[in-house]
Amino acid sequence: MSEWWTYTLSDFLMFSPRTYWRLVELYNRDFWPLQLPLLAAGLAALWLAAVRRVQAFRWLAIALSAAWLWVAWAFLWERYATINWAAQYVALAFAAQAALLLAAGVVCRPASRPPGAAMRGFGGLLAVAGLLYPLLGLAAGRPWVQAEVFGLVPEPTALFTLGLLLLGGQPASRAGRALLFAIPLLCLLLGAATAWTFLN
């Protein structure tokens, strides 16, 4: 039996990249043209966060909660879990993030002051990157129908969420901020690890 340190990430991948991208393609076809209003909603949320900042926090948190819940159910639970058993646990984490965002929007008191200029700039950059995420697929040579769009799949949703939280304000408490940031960051790390295995 091989020693454990000889394994690489790709040894734990239970499906081929082709299988994954075909799943994304079928998912996109099933819900077309939902991608277009989602991108429009993302632009509106980005504008609201940039202009209204603190006042917009509650509404943005509630809207993001809906997006996380949708990804948890429609993509992770219903589709991705059919080729990756671990996706059901990721779906539960996404549902937990949806609940945290909803609680932040309904219960938590937003920070009294907006973040500093540097934080807002970085947040805006992350949010724009989340909206432009589908262009990564095009750059990699994949067709539009396999594009990963905010509100439909995990990574752009997590990226956009982190950006809006940094740009548009956060809960006043440090604990609240830590809870809201933890799952999106873990999601991006998991997505990066999966993408790395696709390239090796």
Side-chain angles (χ1 to χ4, degrees):
M1 184 169 138
S2 300
E3 300 295 341
W4 63 269
W5 57 81
T6 64
Y7 287 96
T8 63
L9 281 175
S10 58
D11 292 320
F12 298 98
L13 196 64
M14 295 167 279
F15 51 89
S16 69
R18 183 177 178 180
T19 300
Y20 176 80
W21 294 119
R22 178 62 176 162
L23 182 141
V24 172
E25 178 177 338
L26 293 174
Y27 176 57
N28 279 333
R29 289 183 188 276
D30 285 346
F31 292 103
W32 175 260
L34 184 59
Q35 293 83 353
L36 300 178
L38 281 172
L39 289 172
L43 286 172
L46 182 57
W47 175 83
L48 191 62
V51 173
R52 303 299 294 175
R53 296 179 187 153
V54 173
Q55 300 92 329
F57 170 76
R58 292 188 188 279
W59 297 108
L60 292 175
I62 292 168
L64 288 171
S65 171
W68 279 76
L69 192 59
W70 174 265
V71 174
W73 174 75
F75 182 74
L76 292 167
W77 190 269
E78 289 289 310
R79 288 167 176 81
Y80 196 23
T82 63
I83 63 170
N84 182 358
W85 62 267
Q88 60 189 329
Y89 299 106
V90 181
L92 295 175
F94 265 63
Q97 179 70 13
L100 288 170
L101 285 163
L102 183 61
V106 173
V107 177
C108 290
R109 180 173 56 88
S112 57
R113 291 182 301 172
M119 191 69 73
R120 289 199 310 271
F122 184 59
L125 187 64
L126 290 180
V128 169
L131 293 179
L132 295 179
Y133 202 88
L135 298 180
L136 285 179
L138 290 179
R142 293 192 301 274
W144 269 112
V145 75
Q146 293 179 356
E148 295 177 289
V149 177
F150 152 76
L152 287 177
V153 293
E155 286 80 16
T157 303
L159 195 58
F160 185 74
T161 298
L162 289 175
L164 278 198
L165 289 174
L166 291 173
L167 177 64
Q170 306 153 25
S173 71
R174 288 185 179 181
R177 290 194 294 270
L179 284 172
L180 287 181
F181 279 82
I183 293 175
L185 286 171
L186 288 173
C187 167
L188 291 175
L189 288 173
L190 182 60
T194 303
W196 178 259
T197 63
F198 285 175
L199 298 174
N200 293 285

